[in-house]
Amino acid sequence: MFKKPGKGLKKSYQPGSMMSLALTKGLMNEPGQNSCFLNSAVQVLWQLDIFRRSLRHLSGHFCLGDACIFCALKSIFSQFQQSRERVLPSDSLRNALAETFKDEQRFQLGLMDDAAECFENILERIHLHIVSDPTTDSCCSKSCITHQKFAMMLYEQFVCRCCGASSDPHPFTEFVHYVSTTALCQQVNRMLGKNRPDMFGELLQAANSTGDLRSCPSDCGQSIKIRRVLLNCPEIVTIGFVWDSEQSDLTDDVIWSLGPRLNLCGLFNRVSDENAKRCELHLVGMICFSSKHYSAFAYHTKSSKWILIHLVHIPLNFSDCSFVYNVKAKVPKIKSEQ
Ligand SMILES: [Zn+2]
Ligand SMILES: [Zn+2]
Ligand SMILES: [Zn+2]
């Protein structure tokens, strides 16, 4: 069933065609393996053209042998490309991940774990395999995919609008921008009627600064909000939704709040990079959690279609989603294809 997408593929595709399911290979998840969190992260990375091509061009790295996440990921990617099998094992990566994180007791064999954190840790490990420098914030290696493509370089600062006093800027780097779904839904209700699909960034920013008030650093009596400033222009931005409310089901509200496009100027209080000011990012990947199982959706750029990668029941009730945005992809028509 697998067909390597060729050049003329786009023309042969009809909207709603189920052929899209045959465009990718599955990763094995046998009973008791609980590898769907890892498989989803790998599948989304594979579908990201920028990541896939960049990794292909990299060879030299600090190798850790059996515990080498870099080698294991490369091997899965080359099998994705060359193997005739429709379903491939992800055991080598699962083992490398378990070995790497055994002291922290995370991502251990047979145990379920968090897909967004797995995604984030794979990126961090790739940086370490290429640069071998644990201080990730100052990485400027041209070959480090993690920092060149995914990193958001930010600083946070409290600035008082009333007296102008400001706190010391706090610089940091993030690969996943986490947003609370409870705060998101509060903002959806506040912005009711004013919220437009192209304001998804603004919505996330409002949710992210909810309740983050401090008193003015010069004690002028004002309570002031945190400001987050983006310094670079990441090619891929990942949003992680934190489902922090066990009580109520926010699923519908969260799904309706989603926008297929994201402006970095909306997402952060200020953007200093000129390219970042202009660029609009398009939704190209999703990892969702439902019924104790992860599934991944990816936008297949060559066929301009969304594909569900894990052939399990489609999660109608998402309870955990992470979203990956990509600068280069075309506009996904999610709504019309649902
Ligand atoms: Zn290696
Ligand atoms: Zn790096
Ligand atoms: Zn003040």
Side-chain angles (χ1 to χ4, degrees), residues 178-250:
Y178 287 98
V179 178
S180 144
T181 52
T182 312
L184 181 77
C185 293
Q186 282 167 3
Q187 291 304 322
V188 170
N189 291 330
R190 278 194 53 206
M191 290 166 83
L192 218 58
K194 285 180 278 178
N195 190 24
R196 300 194 314 267
D198 60 344
M199 285 178 66
F200 186 48
E202 283 82 353
L203 184 66
L204 293 175
Q205 189 203 123
N208 230 0
S209 46
T210 308
D212 220 348
L213 290 171
R214 296 215 185 147
S215 46
C216 169
S218 77
D219 288 324
C220 80
Q222 284 290 316
S223 52
I224 54 177
K225 275 188 176 177
I226 196 161
R227 282 171 56 82
R228 291 188 184 88
V229 180
L230 179 71
L231 302 170
N232 68 330
C233 182
E235 287 186 54
I236 297 156
V237 167
T238 309
I239 307 294
F241 283 147
V242 181
W243 296 78
D244 44 5
S245 160
E246 295 272 317
Q247 314 301 327
S248 60
D249 183 16
L250 301 175

Side-chain angles (χ1 to χ4, degrees), residues 133-179:
D133 178 4
T135 54
T136 60
D137 280 1
S138 54
C139 172
C140 46
S141 161
K142 285 273 177 283
S143 52
C144 178
I145 311 171
T146 304
H147 285 94
Q148 291 293 314
K149 312 291 184 191
F150 291 83
M152 288 168 265
M153 291 162 63
L154 300 160
Y155 74 83
E156 282 180 346
Q157 195 174 24
F158 287 90
V159 182
C160 180
R161 277 193 188 173
C162 195
C163 73
S166 62
S167 64
D168 287 338
H170 164 61
F172 63 102
T173 300
E174 66 183 12
F175 305 121
V176 179
H177 189 72
Y178 287 98
V179 178

Side-chain angles (χ1 to χ4, degrees), residues 61-65 68 70-71 129:
H61 68 288
F62 299 94
C63 190
L64 288 177
C68 190
F70 187 94
C71 283
H129 283 297

Side-chain angles (χ1 to χ4, degrees), residues 29-44:
N29 184 30
E30 281 163 10
Q33 277 190 323
N34 286 317
S35 294
C36 55
F37 74 92
L38 172 67
N39 293 351
S40 307
V42 171
Q43 291 280 14
V44 164

